[in-house]
Amino acid sequence: MDPVAQIRKKSLAESAIVSRAVLDTFRKLDPRTMVKNPVMFVVEVGAVLTTIQLVWNVSHHDGQFGFGLQITLWLWFTVLFANFAEGMAEGRGKAQADTLRKARAETQAHRLRSDGSTETVVSSQLRSGDIVVVTACEFIPGDGEVIEGVASVDESAITGESAPVIRESGGDRSAVTGGTRVLSDEIKVRITSNPGETFLDRMIKLVEGACRQKTPNEIALNILLAGLTIIFLLAVVTLQPFAIYSGAPQNIFVLVSLLVCLIPTTIGGLLSAIGIAGMDRLIQRNVIAMSGRAVEASGDVDVLLLDKTGTITLGNRAATQFYPARGIEENYLADAAQLSSLADETPEGRSIVVLAKERYNMRGRDLSSHDTNFIPFSAQTRMSGVDFDGREIRKGAPEAIARFINSTGNGIPNELQLRIEEISNSGGTPLLVAENRRVLGAIALTDIVKGGMKERFYHLRAMGIRTMMITGDNPLTAAAIARQAGVDDFLAEATPEDKMELIKREQAKGKLVAMTGDGTNDAPALAQADVGVAMNTGTQAAKEAGNMVDLDSNPTKLIEIVEIGKQLLITRGALTTFSVANDVAKYFAIIPAMFAGAFPVLGALNVMHLRTPESAILSAVIFNALIIIALIPLALRGVRYRPLGAAALLQRNLLIYGLGGIIAPFIGIKFIDVLLTYLRVV
Amino acid sequence: MTANGWFQIGLYLFVIFLVTKPLGVFMTRVFNREKTFLDPILRPVEKLVYRLSGIDEKREMRWTEYAVAMLLFSGVTMALLYLIERTQKWLPFNPQKLGNLEPGLAFGTAASFTTNTNWQAYSGESTMSYFTQMAGLAYHNFVSAAVGIVLSIVVIRGIARKETDKLGNFWVDTTRCLLWVLLPVCLVGSLILVSEGVVENFKPYTTVDLIQPYTTQVTGPDGKTTTQTVTQQVIAQGPVASQEVIKEFGTNGGGFFNANSAHPFENPTPFSNFFEMVLIFAIPSGLTYTLGWMTGSQRHGWAVWAAMAVLFFAGVTTAYWAEAKGNRLLAGTDQGASGLHSGGNMEGKEVRFGIVNSALFSTVTTDASCGAVNGIHDSFTPLGGMVPLINIMLGEVVFGGVGAGLYGIFVFVVLAVFIAGLMVGRTPEYLGKKIESHDVKMAMLAVLILTFTILVFSAIAVVKPYGTSSITNPGPHGLSQILYAYTSSTGNNGSAFAGLNVNTMWYNTTTAVAQLLGRFFMIIPIMAVAGNLAKKKIVPESAGTFPVTGGLFAGLLASTIVIVGALTFFPALSLGPILEHLLMNAGKAF
């Protein structure tokens, strides 16, 4: 198994990630790094202040050493815990980046000179526009487009999928990625990227978070947290004059403790970890998001455009039934249908051969001994078929076959006409088979809707997301499949331009649109969509245009991407609410402790009955630090997303994180206080 | 607490509920320039105003231009008031020959009336001439209220409009507000008050013989105390009714007399008291309906109303309970309610209003940024007095000042929608508008200005002699007095805890600065949000949209207001009223 694939399966020991995170924890103490996180920066400054005070106390043999030391230590722990959370979130990505770097190692490339000969250069010398020849067992030296030949390629370094894929010139499977390996044959590749800008380079940067930029919601949330921090800073700084007026001035340990407990350290410490983990969850599912903005936007999506083929239905349409005309044996029809499709390489054609083989045990025959003339499908005739031994077998759309037989005067029998309509109405595509201008019968091609899609669309609807099926089928067929799959709407006979129009129309209404695509003609729509997921098997143009690439090339994954986007936002909101709600209990722990000495009556506010003022303050600080550690798994995993309507989701989360956030610290602080008293720490 | 008391509170809230829709619809029509029944009379007047002042009523402004117009207007009219105060000696309608005001007091008063605060460091009857009262103070009562209302309309337009940077014309909105909303109601309202016995004249003060002379101890200049018999009293009068009605309807609160709505010529009967309280909440309550109507979500309007009503009810219940319970230290006296007296803590209250109407009035006047008072908040029990204090600290968003309440609660709506909105898994949206970093930044700025101004000025005042020397009661009560002064100023409430001697250089200056900060530095970030929202697209509502209607949202909004307020001010309150309450229960009073 390929090393990267192993990592994706989490086989790299978690301990390596943890030890790297521990190292990062201390590296991140650098104030220049800390200042980017205003909440934790305030904690660090507070910890420095108490440390200075502690040193001063020691050198002046001032009292309160034990209490001051413990407060100071726990303040430092608070900072370290937050750094550790971030380190843990980054850890997995960094480990993955290391292995990807190995795949990027210098390789030899055979560059084509203008005179047709090749020269050997190292991959880093290749520039966009160069043409290289890659033969079996060689690494493809850079991202590019196959311009000649066909080859099977091992892309497991990128996708983790060990089964080789076919890459060929022209069409939608022409893109190759640097660092992947050609397994057979030889291809000519036009390089499309310069060193340092390749897909692999970008992927490395993305997974290790080097170019991670704060997303719009994250910025807004950071502003909110900074604002709250300033408010609490004001509340604590002005509390000292009020305390002096009241004749109960406070020392620096107590004031810093109060401040650190009040500012939203829980969310402040976990915020960047949540963002990194969100990106990482996508990577776990083999989706590379080009920006965090795209991940966030996927939570906001209002409309999902889903291609019918491959997303809603299983692959292509397949023949499912033969309907012989009156007086024709079903066997005979099947035989004729198979003969007419032998040279038909379309998936539909192949499915007819397969059906005949499975139902009637008809093996493919060798017709080379006969005087055979295969008639390929053409846009003019819209038929294909075979002429041999005087038999003229044709298969095609009903109108085409009607034209074919009408020229001799025999019409389509009435009962077959009814059958054709029946097939169309139920979402299938009817084909007719004729031999020597006589209609033998009909073949029904039907779409097979993937299992479980109806439920998924139901959930999406509950989430307020409209699903729209895009298909080239006629409206009648499209409507039938749409009904069967349970999508909200469909766009039939869609051209790439129609798709683009649709996206623009929805966006003009203020909606966010997500879509998947792989072909070059999808590129404009992918770029226009708010979330455009390109399939890794697709063309380079599509991959450039989209803001995400699905390495598994599974269009259904769009639904998961939306859920991950939502989960990311919910986790941030939930922990913010929890963090702010926590403050209520901390006030009831610290305020009475601060002033119980001067005003014993304020002990009435000590509703938790904490033992001593020192243990009350220390308990609050310890709770505040430990809750960060306790919530790291939740931050990394994300709050579980439930496909509910917004109102139900809000009610549920408010109950858990709002009300829970008020109650939990009362219990936690009391518990720590009991423990501290038992251990006689203060 | 009595059944009659609860009935009066319930009746009051019910009447407010009844006036909300008609007033809300009427204001919507006025500001949307739709037809109203007053058009035949007022439309010609309005057109004349525009012709005289050269205003193009079709031209709309961006938020910045709107804000500049508003600031210019406020600045110029504030200077005008200062000028009147400084020259009233030479101006007409001064039968008592009152002198010009000191610069400090004149500046403080000018700032206070321009900002809709109406903080009064003077006694009206012994300081202000009739001309100053009418042309200076009453004028500002009208225009500062109009400014507040039109700014809330700007905020509503910002939410309702899409993909535009135009939010209306300041001059046109203000003119229409004055002509259609404020003047007609005040005309009718002042007649109602006159019918109840409020005076309206230009007479010099009258000296009358007392029916029942009384003796009093007077300390002479030599320090000796002599006993004097008082047989005469000077009865102050003036054009009171016309100013009284806008004092409440525009949530101004500046009394004609020093005793404010406790004075029998300002508030003579229980009915006038009820009527004045209804006037205070009428526009703020009506604006919630305007919000719903203009944004096309009537249920949202009612959800905001419900959040306000819940907070109002919580406040009035606490105040009523604390005042009716009385003072434990006076255990020997009869503090129970009976047919003969209202019981409870009657110190500083008018006998004709009793406990419930004093508690209700104090809650109403501080929920709204009115500041009219019919009793002395300083004399309330510690917890009863904490209710008005907290009401103002919450930002006066419980119905709130005219316009100011609505644009104030808008800040909390933005914050609540942002925090909780994330929890539904989408970028937070408010009525189809995405709440993004710029909006959060500006909303936080507004909250910060309020917090900063109250806490920093109070913190300086409590440790400096020029601050503490004005305190009349020591201990935690003194802290409450100072906190109340800056809270009331910053919140543009204007009610005083009394007790604190605020006519000093330090307090006149700092309270004026607090008022200006609390008014204009709040407004500008809020207008910036409105301007930014107006530019955005409206995202259509779906099952995934954060619901801003219904009980869940009302509860969320109320909790956000309480939690933000409580977390900010709990430390200060715990050393002020909370400590005082606990000490009182332990047998120590201040």
Side-chain angles (χ1 to χ4, degrees), chain B residues 296-550:
Chain B
S297 175
Q298 206 50 68
R299 294 184 57 218
H300 172 62
W302 282 120
V304 171
W305 191 91
M308 292 174 164
V310 166
L311 292 175
F312 159 74
F313 197 74
V316 76
T317 303
T318 312
Y320 183 31
W321 167 77
E323 293 310 301
K325 201 159 71 86
N327 188 340
R328 183 190 282 207
L329 299 183
L330 304 173
T333 49
D334 175 18
Q335 294 185 74
S338 70
L340 293 175
H341 63 95
S342 60
N345 169 34
M346 276 301 287
E347 183 195 310
K349 293 187 179 63
E350 272 294 306
V351 180
R352 65 183 184 281
F353 304 134
I355 296 291
V356 67
N357 274 309
S358 301
L360 181 59
F361 201 105
S362 73
T363 309
V364 168
T365 196
T366 50
D367 274 341
S369 78
C370 182
V373 286
N374 74 354
I376 295 189
H377 296 171
D378 192 43
S379 296
F380 277 32
T381 60
L383 290 186
M386 188 169 78
V387 170
L389 184 58
I390 289 183
N391 280 341
I392 311 174
M393 282 172 168
L394 295 182
E396 287 168 323
V397 293
V398 182
F399 297 100
V402 286
L406 194 82
Y407 64 66
I409 204 165
F410 170 69
V411 170
F412 288 100
V413 168
V414 167
L415 294 180
V417 164
F418 183 75
I419 298 175
L422 284 173
M423 285 199 293
V424 305
R426 280 171 74 93
T427 297
E429 286 158 22
Y430 172 49
L431 292 173
K433 295 294 179 71
K434 283 200 155 66
I435 302 295
E436 289 161 307
S437 58
H438 177 269
D439 312 306
V440 174
K441 195 190 299 172
M442 291 298 147
M444 281 315 285
L445 199 60
V447 176
L448 270 174
I449 285 162
L450 183 79
T451 312
F452 177 87
T453 314
I454 294 176
L455 287 179
V456 172
F457 276 128
S458 303
I460 297 172
V462 292
V463 286
K464 294 290 179 188
Y466 45 77
T468 48
S469 59
S470 289
I471 292 173
T472 52
N473 302 71
H477 196 82
L479 181 62
S480 300
Q481 288 180 338
I482 288 178
L483 264 180
Y484 197 100
Y486 288 107
T487 306
S488 173
S489 293
T490 311
N492 295 151
N493 185 280
S495 70
F497 215 40
L500 191 70
N501 170 28
V502 287
N503 195 5
T504 67
M505 189 62 192
W506 162 257
Y507 281 106
N508 271 331
T509 316
T510 51
T511 53
V513 170
Q515 288 156 16
L516 292 169
L517 286 176
R519 174 81 165 185
F520 298 111
F521 277 67
M522 280 280 280
I523 285 174
I524 289 170
I526 292 170
M527 286 189 77
V529 179
N532 194 39
L533 287 188
K535 285 188 207 145
K536 297 182 184 184
K537 287 180 189 165
I538 291 186
V539 183
E541 204 178 321
S542 75
T545 310
F546 180 81
V548 289
T549 56

Side-chain angles (χ1 to χ4, degrees), chain B residues 77-161:
Chain B
T77 53
M78 180 175 155
L80 214 65
L81 173 57
Y82 180 81
L83 213 67
I84 293 173
E85 288 173 313
R86 299 279 290 132
T87 58
Q88 67 171 3
K89 197 161 86 176
W90 305 296
L91 295 172
F93 297 109
N94 189 0
Q96 292 307 116
K97 308 272 178 280
L98 296 168
N100 296 334
L101 273 70
E102 291 304 312
L105 183 61
F107 169 73
T109 307
S112 143
F113 276 75
T114 308
T115 55
N116 198 264
T117 310
N118 297 26
W119 174 262
Q120 293 168 298
Y122 61 88
S123 294
E125 55 268 50
S126 58
T127 316
M128 300 292 181
S129 75
Y130 292 165
F131 182 83
T132 312
Q133 293 267 23
M134 289 190 302
L137 305 183
Y139 167 79
H140 271 281
N141 282 351
F142 275 96
V143 295
S144 69
V147 165
I149 295 170
V150 301
L151 289 173
S152 71
I153 296 295
V154 164
V155 167
I156 298 175
R157 284 184 187 140
I159 304 163
R161 292 183 176 182

Side-chain angles (χ1 to χ4, degrees), chain A residues 30 107 197 230 245 285 315 329 371 381-382 387 406 409 442 447 460 498 526 532 541 577 620 668 670:
Chain A
D30 184 342
T107 50
E197 302 163 8
I230 299 174
Y245 167 88
R285 285 175 177 73
E329 282 294 311
D371 178 19
T381 61
R382 297 176 62 204
D387 293 347
N406 267 356
D447 280 298
L460 285 171
D498 290 343
L526 278 173
T577 310
K670 176 70 190 170

Side-chain angles (χ1 to χ4, degrees), chain A residues 398-421:
Chain A
E399 310 88 81
I401 296 291
R403 231 181 6 254
F404 174 69
I405 55 176
N406 267 356
S407 51
T408 60
N410 301 325
I412 297 173
N414 259 345
E415 95 277 353
L416 210 54
Q417 195 68 49
L418 286 174
R419 183 72 73 192
I420 289 168
E421 279 169 30

